[in-house]
Amino acid sequence: MSETKRPPLSRDALIETALRLLDEVGLEGVTVRRLAGELGVQSPALYWHIRTKQELLDGIADAIILAAGMGPPGDGEAWKDWLARRARAYRRSLLAHRDGARIVATATRLGTETLKLLEQELSALVAHGLTPLSALRAITACTQYVNGFVLQEQAARPPADDLLPLLEQAPTLLKAIGEGGAAHGEETFEHGLRALINGLDT
């Protein structure tokens, strides 16, 4: 009886399996040993493709970033509108994976394709009248805003009932929350994003 053939081991296969594992068990559960088990190999076999756990996490982060659809503004698209669109797509990509923001926030290096697309984005902003420095700062500010926002969205929080006694001591805060001032959600995200982008200089 022949054994079931497994697909060839590759870096892409490692990253794809690691992303699935991340969604199932979270960041703490993603280990080289567990990944090897998922792939049906011994841990040393992975080191032909990924040398360290950090390199694995960087690869996962890179896949999440690329899935957001990086690239320069479209024809006739205002750069601030593009920056807002980019931020929304990036947030969706982070939220698509358990602990996605933590993975990306702790990455140590960008992949070649990500760096190439970032260069295209920066060049496009310079063509819109920004300096290279202001272009980089604009993208960085929005990226860090999204990272921080999603980190909070994906963090474990106590039930609302547990917070009520504390909020009763802060009537203005309680009123603001009652009027829709939630710490998370689409409206809060959009408000912060627009305030950030509108404050950027050319």
Side-chain angles (χ1 to χ4, degrees):
M1 192 172 180
S2 62
E3 295 182 3
T4 303
K5 288 188 176 181
R6 297 183 181 277
L9 200 60
S10 66
R11 192 176 190 279
D12 288 344
L14 263 64
I15 299 301
E16 183 180 340
T17 304
L19 273 168
R20 180 174 51 77
L21 193 58
L22 175 69
D23 291 337
E24 291 173 3
V25 300
L27 178 55
E28 280 74 19
V30 178
T31 64
V32 172
R33 186 174 186 176
R34 190 161 189 169
L35 179 59
E38 289 288 318
L39 292 163
V41 299
Q42 297 296 314
S43 297
L46 303 187
Y47 294 117
W48 287 98
H49 307 280
I50 292 178
R51 293 167 293 180
T52 65
K53 182 177 179 180
Q54 186 59 54
E55 189 174 328
L56 171 65
L57 296 178
D58 287 349
I60 297 172
D62 213 45
I64 292 172
I65 293 169
L66 287 172
M70 293 178 68
D75 292 341
E77 185 176 22
W79 70 269
K80 287 190 176 183
D81 291 340
W82 165 79
L83 204 54
R85 177 171 63 82
R86 183 186 192 275
R88 294 182 191 111
Y90 180 47
R91 176 173 173 244
R92 286 193 298 271
S93 192
L94 293 180
L95 286 171
H97 296 284
R98 183 174 172 182
D99 295 327
R102 287 177 62 199
I103 288 280
V104 173
T106 56
T108 59
R109 66 171 57 193
L110 298 174
T112 303
E113 183 63 20
T114 304
L115 191 60
K116 177 182 175 183
L117 289 169
L118 177 59
E119 174 65 22
Q120 291 175 7
E121 293 177 340
L122 292 170
S123 297
L125 291 186
V126 169
H128 276 75
L130 280 72
T131 67
L133 178 58
S134 61
L136 178 60
R137 284 179 172 170
I139 291 176
T140 300
C142 285
T143 298
Q144 291 177 344
Y145 168 70
V146 176
N147 284 345
F149 197 92
V150 178
L151 277 169
Q152 290 294 318
E153 287 185 292
Q154 292 182 324
R157 292 186 295 277
D161 290 347
D162 292 353
L163 296 176
L164 192 56
L166 180 63
L167 290 175
E168 287 174 346
Q169 301 175 41
T172 306
L173 175 58
L174 190 58
K175 183 177 180 182
I177 292 173
E179 293 174 352
H184 311 289
E186 296 299 323
E187 287 188 15
T188 302
F189 176 77
E190 287 295 327
H191 178 83
L193 180 62
R194 279 298 170 192
L196 173 62
I197 291 177
N198 289 339
L200 293 174
D201 295 325
T202 58

